[in-house]
């Protein structure tokens, strides 16, 4: 078995890096393998290019005998672009997180990931909300589809509508050609809306309509386009308080969570 083989390798050749490949992976297995000395962990079916990238990183990154290296695809944090997020990203959340609260988080991710429900991830800046979103995608049935990140807080309000919904040629100044929006790019995969608490009231209305009808309309076009994707969102704001004060729509809040 894989665990016994890992133990034998670490006994005989402790400096040899090991990547675990398994068809029966789970979060506890991933954590256990990392603690026992594995450098990384992939579940089948896995992306061959991802595996090659991990092998190359281990061969060229650091001295022989170094501690295991966290490996992440170079494009996985690119805002507004598609990126795959395999199940192994769970090992990136917290290196060796053993505390009871982290175990509760791992258990919750395992239960929520296979479903199709929208998930709202809340927490202070720097606590790993995007890593949680990647783990949800990587552990879901949509892991082979795109993982599209939209940084709502960093995108100017005037551009966010075009970024999300796309536009047709001539719909506004500088719209020189048709452009698919990021919601459309997420078709068949996962759309991650970061800093969702920053969007304008008008954008809240448009986003609510998409979540209700699962169709979009590009700017300058009346034809609805069906888009089937899972929606994850994150915020460091107190959305319930914003709902109470009227700056965030209550119906959108409940759709997101």
């Amino acid at each position: 078995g894989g665990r016994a083989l890992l133990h034998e390798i670490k006994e005989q050749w402790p400096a040899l890096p090991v990547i675990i490949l398994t068809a029966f992976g789970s979060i506890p297995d991933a954590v256990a393998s990392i603690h026992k000395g594995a450098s990384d962990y992939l579940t089948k079916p896995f992306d061959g290019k991802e595996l090659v990238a991990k092998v190359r990183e281990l061969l060229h990154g650091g001295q022989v005998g170094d501690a295991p290296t966290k490996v992440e695809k170079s494009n996985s944090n690119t805002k507004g672009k598609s990126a795959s997020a395999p199940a192994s990203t769970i090992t990136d959340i917290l290196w060796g997180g053993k505390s009871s609260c982290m175990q509760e988080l791992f258990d919750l991710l395992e239960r929520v990931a296979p479903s199709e429900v929208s998930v709202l991830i809340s927490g202070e800046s720097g606590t790993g909300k995007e890593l949680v979103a990647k783990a949800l995608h990587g552990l879901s049935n949509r892991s082979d589809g795109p993982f599209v990140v939209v940084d709502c807080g960093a995108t100017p309000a005037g551009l966010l509508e075009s970024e999300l919904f796309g536009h047709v040629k001539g719909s506004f100044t500088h719209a020189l050609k048709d452009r698919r929006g990021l919601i459309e790019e997420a078709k068949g995969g996962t759309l991650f809306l970061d800093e969702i608490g920053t969007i304008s009231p008008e954008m809240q209305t448009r986003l609510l309509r998409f979540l209700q009808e699962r169709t979009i309309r590009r700017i300058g076009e009346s034809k609805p386009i069906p888009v089937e994707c899972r929606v994850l969102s994150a915020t460091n704001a107190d959305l319930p308080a914003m709902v109470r004060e009227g700056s965030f729509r209550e119906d959108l809040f409940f759709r997101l969570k």
Side-chain angles (χ1 to χ4, degrees), residues 31 35 94-104 106:
V31 174
H35 281 309
L94 269 186
W95 196 240
K98 290 182 177 180
S99 65
S100 60
C101 60
M102 288 307 301
Q103 293 304 315
E104 290 176 9
F106 293 155

Side-chain angles (χ1 to χ4, degrees), residues 10 24 34 43 66 79 83 97 101 117 130 136 138 161 175 177 219 224:
K10 288 302 169 184
F24 306 99
I34 295 298
T43 56
D66 279 353
K79 303 297 182 183
C101 60
V117 297
E130 186 170 336
L136 285 170
E161 183 178 21
K177 61 180 180 179
I219 298 175

